[in-house]
Amino acid sequence: MQHKGFSLKDIILLALIGIVFGVIFVGAGYLYNIIMLALTPVGFGPAAEDITIGLWCMAGPLAGFLLRRPGAAFLGEVIGAVVEMLIGDQWGAANLLSGAVQGLGSELGFAFTGYKIYNWLTAILTTLTTCAVTFVWDWFKSGYDAFKPSTVITLLIIRIICMFIIDGVLVKLISNLLERSQVLKVR
């Protein structure tokens, strides 16, 4: 299958995904703050990142499943990060770099299938690649190297579980529902 560029319909869908998820990303920031405040007194505040990261990584895999084009997952995530930044969340322009890292992680999962398979295996692959790329990013950005090995392992397990539920299962179910309802014609 030869991949063509994005059509106008694709661009509009990417923009809509970015706008909707940009708003969701801002809400995820509030949820992150609440979880961080709740877990900090017991010494596990850093887990807030790993608990909520799945919400920040949803736009990429959903765009990838709906558009089925190289670059869709990356663009969906980056556009969402731009919208989040423009709304005025707490991280500002740093969202652009985080969005690019998250989009790259998601894009890798689709690339491993050659952009030809859009099933549960692909959902698992995109979850694993996004999890790995974002965990390495957070290792440096959030200073995970300062934690005890047992804490790092716990954070990784939390991240894998939360991302699998949100970016794997939930995204695939949403994609399946949109395809079955014929709201969107999935390629």
Side-chain angles (χ1 to χ4, degrees):
M1 177 173 123
Q2 183 179 5
H3 297 288
K4 296 179 183 177
F6 292 103
S7 68
L8 178 60
K9 179 181 161 187
D10 295 337
I11 294 167
I12 292 169
L13 182 57
L14 271 172
L16 288 172
I17 290 169
I19 291 166
V20 168
F21 279 95
V23 172
I24 290 170
F25 295 166
V26 171
Y30 291 111
L31 180 61
Y32 166 87
N33 291 336
I34 291 167
I35 294 170
M36 175 71 88
L37 286 170
L39 294 179
T40 296
V42 294
F44 222 70
E49 172 79 12
D50 300 285
I51 292 168
T52 58
I53 189 133
L55 294 170
W56 280 302
C57 295
M58 275 183 85
L62 187 61
F65 273 107
L66 296 181
L67 293 166
R68 299 184 178 191
R69 295 244 188 273
F74 179 80
L75 289 172
E77 201 64 49
V78 170
I79 293 168
V82 168
V83 171
E84 179 185 13
M85 178 193 71
L86 292 175
I87 290 173
D89 81 323
Q90 61 193 348
W91 291 285
N95 286 330
L96 302 178
L97 188 51
S98 291
V101 168
Q102 293 160 359
L104 174 65
S106 183
E107 196 71 40
L108 284 174
F110 292 105
F112 281 139
T113 67
Y115 299 94
K116 294 179 182 169
I117 302 169
Y118 294 90
N119 58 18
W120 285 100
L121 172 63
T122 308
I124 292 168
L125 282 173
T126 59
T127 299
L128 290 175
T129 57
T130 307
C131 188
V133 169
T134 60
F135 196 79
V136 169
W137 169 244
D138 281 330
W139 181 275
F140 296 102
K141 179 187 72 138
S142 301
Y144 282 16
D145 59 326
F147 299 140
K148 296 184 297 187
S150 61
T151 301
V152 172
I153 291 168
T154 303
L155 293 175
L156 180 59
I157 291 169
I158 291 169
R159 181 175 296 230
I160 290 168
I161 292 168
C162 293
M163 289 186 82
F164 176 74
I165 292 167
I166 296 170
D167 299 330
V169 175
L170 185 59
V171 164
K172 184 64 174 126
L173 290 174
I174 291 169
S175 172
N176 289 350
L177 286 172
L178 289 171
E179 188 173 354
R180 274 196 304 250
S181 70
Q182 298 179 358
V183 170
L184 298 171
K185 185 180 177 186
V186 178
R187 291 179 177 82

